[in-house]
C-alpha cells in the first residue's frame, strides 16, 4: 500500500536514495523505476519475464540514465563505530532465525553459502523479505504469515508424495509381491518413532499406510500418479487384474519394480522430514 501511494504522489521532481537497491532481476529494477513514475515495462506487464529482451534493455537504459552511485572523496573524515543493541520483536526474531537456518536466495557467481546467508540477513534489515517491494508483506508479522503459509504448503505437498508412495506399495502387496523383511522393519520403525523430530513423520507414514490399505484395488489404481519406467509394469498388472486377464508382467519384473519403488520412498520421506522440521522451527520461533 505504501509503495502504491508513492507512485501517485504529485511532484515536479522525483529523487530516491537507497543503500541496498535490488538489482538481481529485471522486475526489481522495474519496481524501483515505477516509484519514480518511470514505466520500463510497457503495456505487456503481465506477460513479461525477467529474461524478456525488451524489458532488460529498458531496465539498462533506466539505470544508465537515472541511477548513479556516489562515493565521498574525503579521506580525512574520522570514522567512529558505535554498537547499538537492538531488541527484536517476536516476529522479527522469527524471520532472522528462519533466515539463519534456511538456504535461500538465487545463486550469485562466486558467492559462498555463508555470503548468501549474510546477504539475506542484510536484506531483512530493511525489507523483511527479498521481494518485499513486489509482494504484499509490509511488516514482520505479514512476512511471518507468508513464510508459514509456504512452509505449510511444502509440508502438505510432501505428505501427498508419501501418500502416493504408500498407494504404490499397497498395490504391490495386493498383487502378492511382498517387500523384504529389512524394508518392512525399517518402515515399521519409522512409523513408531517417538522422537520429537521424527514423530510427525511417523504419524504421516502411519496415516498414509492406513489410508492406502482402506482403499479398493480400483481406487488405488485411479489414485496412482507418475510415469517413471518402474511404474509401468505395475500399471499393466493392475489393468489385467481389474479386467480378470492373465496377461500380467512376470513376478521377476514386478519384483524389480518393487525394489525401485522402495528406493524411491526414502528421498520422499527425507523431503517430508525436512519440510516438517522447517515448519516446526518457524512455529516455535
Amino acid at each position: 500500500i505504501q509503495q502504491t501511494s508513492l507512485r501517485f504522489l504529485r511532484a515536479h521532481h522525483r529523487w530516491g536514495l537507497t543503500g541496498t537497491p535490488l538489482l538481481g532481476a529485471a522486475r526489481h529494477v522495474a519496481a524501483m523505476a515505477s516509484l519514480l513514475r518511470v514505466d520500463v515495462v510497457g503495456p505487456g506487464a503481465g506477460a513479461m519475464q525477467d529474461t524478456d529482451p525488451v524489458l532488460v534493455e529498458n531496465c539498462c537504459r533506466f539505470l544508465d540514465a537515472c541511477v548513479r552511485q556516489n562515493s565521498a572523496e574525503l579521506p580525512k573524515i574520522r570514522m567512529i563505530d558505535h554498537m547499538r543493541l537492538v531488541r527484536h520483536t517476536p516476529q522479527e526474531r522469527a524471520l532472522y532465525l528462519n533466515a539463519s537456518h534456511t538456504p535461500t536466495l538465487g545463486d550469485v557467481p562466486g558467492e559462498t553459502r555463508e555470503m548468501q546467508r549474510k546477504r539475506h540477513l542484510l536484506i531483512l534489515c530493511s525489507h523483511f523479505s527479498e521481494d518485499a517491494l513486489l509482494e504484499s508483506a509490509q511488516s514482520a508479522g505479514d512476512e511471518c504469515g507468508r513464510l508459514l503459509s509456504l512452509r505449510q504448503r511444502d509440508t502438505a505437498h510432501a505428505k501427498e508424495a508419501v501418500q502416493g508412495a504408500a498407494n504404490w506399495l499397497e498395490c504391490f502387496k495386493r498383487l502378492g509381491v511382498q517387500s523384504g523383511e529389512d524394508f518392512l522393519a525399517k518402515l515399521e520403525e519409522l512409523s513408531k518413532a517417538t522422537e520429537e523430530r521424527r514423530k510427525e513423520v511417523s504419524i504421516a507414514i502411519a496415516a498414509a499406510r492406513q489410508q492406502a490399505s482402506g482403499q479398493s484395488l480400483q481406487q488405488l489404481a485411479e489414485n496412482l500418479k507418475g510415469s517413471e519406467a518402474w511404474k509401468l509394469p505395475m500399471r499393466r498388472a493392475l489393468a489385467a487384474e481389474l479386467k480378470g486377464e492373465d496377461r500380467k508382467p512376470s513376478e521377476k519384473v514386478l519384483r524389480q519394480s518393487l525394489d525401485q519403488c522402495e528406493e524411491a520412498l526414502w528421498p520422499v520421506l527425507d523431503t517430508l522430514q525436512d519440510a516438517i522440521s522447517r515448519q516446526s522451527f518457524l512455529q516455535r520461533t
Side-chain angles (χ1 to χ4, degrees), residues 238-251:
L238 282 173
E241 180 72 19
L242 292 171
K243 293 178 181 178
E245 300 174 352
D246 294 329
R247 295 181 301 171
K248 301 178 183 177
S250 66
E251 184 176 347

Side-chain angles (χ1 to χ4, degrees), residues 250-263:
S250 66
E251 184 176 347
K252 180 181 178 181
V253 172
L254 290 177
R255 168 59 60 183
Q256 291 174 344
S257 295
L258 176 58
D259 291 342
Q260 291 178 289
C261 177
E262 293 172 352
E263 289 178 7

Side-chain angles (χ1 to χ4, degrees), residues 169 178-191 198 209 255 258-259 262-263 265-266 269:
L169 289 173
Q178 298 290 340
S179 297
E181 292 184 2
D182 291 342
F183 173 82
L184 291 175
K186 189 174 181 180
L187 193 60
E188 190 67 22
E189 179 186 355
L190 281 174
S191 299
R198 300 168 62 187
R209 295 177 72 185
R255 168 59 60 183
L258 176 58
D259 291 342
E262 293 172 352
E263 289 178 7
L265 175 62
W266 304 123
L269 294 178

Side-chain angles (χ1 to χ4, degrees), residues 114-144:
E114 180 63 15
M115 291 170 65
Q116 277 193 345
R117 189 182 71 85
K118 290 181 177 179
R119 176 159 63 94
H120 194 185
L121 292 175
L122 180 61
I123 290 173
L124 290 180
C125 291
S126 305
H127 305 302
F128 302 118
S129 76
E130 185 184 20
D131 292 327
L133 293 177
L134 307 175
E135 303 290 344
S136 58
Q138 299 294 333
S139 68
D142 288 345
E143 181 61 11
C144 278

Side-chain angles (χ1 to χ4, degrees), residues 64-139:
D64 291 340
C66 303
V67 178
R68 70 182 185 184
Q69 180 179 2
N70 292 348
S71 58
E73 297 180 359
L74 300 172
K76 295 183 179 180
I77 294 181
R78 188 164 59 100
M79 302 289 292
I80 301 177
D81 292 335
H82 297 275
M83 182 176 292
R84 302 287 185 183
L85 297 180
V86 177
R87 186 178 296 276
H88 290 151
T89 65
Q91 293 84 0
E92 290 170 343
R93 181 173 180 271
L95 290 179
Y96 272 81
L97 288 175
N98 177 74
S100 297
H101 293 80
T102 305
T104 52
L105 304 179
D107 292 334
V108 174
E111 189 175 57
T112 65
R113 190 182 186 90
E114 180 63 15
M115 291 170 65
Q116 277 193 345
R117 189 182 71 85
K118 290 181 177 179
R119 176 159 63 94
H120 194 185
L121 292 175
L122 180 61
I123 290 173
L124 290 180
C125 291
S126 305
H127 305 302
F128 302 118
S129 76
E130 185 184 20
D131 292 327
L133 293 177
L134 307 175
E135 303 290 344
S136 58
Q138 299 294 333
S139 68

